[in-house]
Amino acid sequence: MKTPEFREFLKRFSNAAESGDGEAFAACFTEDGIYHDYVYGDHQGQAEIADMMENQFHRDAGEDYRWEMFDPICEGNIAYAWSLSSFTSTVPEFAGQKVVIDGMSRFELRDGLIADYRESVNGGVAMVQLGVQPERMAKVCAKWARMLIEQPETQEYLARSKGSRKDGQ
């Protein structure tokens, strides 16, 4: 896939996410695709991804959820895009709190669909807007730090010495 096709693909991806259409969203993924979500965890396969979108994501993000992708780049089977998303929380503890966050998304593509989706989002920004208490924020951020450190890619990175990049650069 090239960048122009990826740009069109992102419209379908974002529209499905914004509407809460789990089936349409999951159809953007391969049958065994994985969506790595920093809040809801990993979801593998179209059925799990559809369920996450409909029964977790939209349950908590409400009707005004927006997710727009900008500056997409696609080279073969790897693509990136910067995004802005916003919602008004429907979680009882934070109901009515408006949140806007930005993120960077990484798409690993196979046969024109997403095989692996990862994003980097500063969840602390969202938690401040929700009004999460500092002690709870510290616990959540510590959990996210552990998750990052435990990832196989991070462990491999940490095991290599400086100057011994995996890609030879």
Side-chain angles (χ1 to χ4, degrees), residues 29-148:
F29 289 78
T30 60
E31 283 292 327
D32 62 343
I34 302 173
Y35 186 106
H36 304 276
D37 189 87
Y38 78 104
V39 174
Y40 302 111
D42 292 352
H43 297 273
Q44 184 166 15
Q46 292 178 339
E48 278 190 32
I49 292 168
D51 182 67
M52 178 208 58
M53 181 54 62
E54 291 178 5
N55 298 311
Q56 292 180 316
F57 216 81
H58 270 271
R59 172 197 68 203
D60 298 341
E63 294 297 317
D64 67 342
Y65 179 69
R66 292 179 59 196
W67 192 12
E68 294 183 19
M69 298 282 180
F70 304 94
D71 306 324
I73 301 289
C74 184
E75 177 88 21
N77 67 338
I78 299 294
Y80 290 89
W82 174 68
S83 68
L84 286 170
S85 58
S86 63
F87 61 93
T88 302
S89 179
T90 59
V91 174
E93 185 178 359
F94 308 113
Q97 295 298 109
K98 184 81 173 170
V99 174
V100 61
I101 55 177
D102 73 334
M104 183 61 70
S105 298
R106 179 186 184 273
F107 301 81
E108 191 174 312
L109 305 169
R110 185 172 67 231
D111 299 325
L113 297 172
I114 304 164
D116 191 87
Y117 173 83
R118 297 171 186 267
E119 61 190 1
S120 182
V121 176
N122 185 339
V125 170
M127 288 190 287
V128 165
Q129 292 172 77
L130 288 170
V132 175
Q133 294 301 310
E135 301 80 25
R136 187 171 174 192
M137 288 176 59
K139 283 183 178 179
V140 172
C141 288
K143 174 186 153 189
W144 290 337
R146 282 191 305 277
M147 288 169 53
L148 172 64

Side-chain angles (χ1 to χ4, degrees), residues 2-17:
K2 301 265 189 233
T3 298
E5 294 99 0
F6 183 62
R7 184 177 289 111
E8 290 303 311
F9 177 83
L10 285 178
K11 289 178 188 175
R12 182 166 56 111
F13 176 83
S14 296
N15 287 339

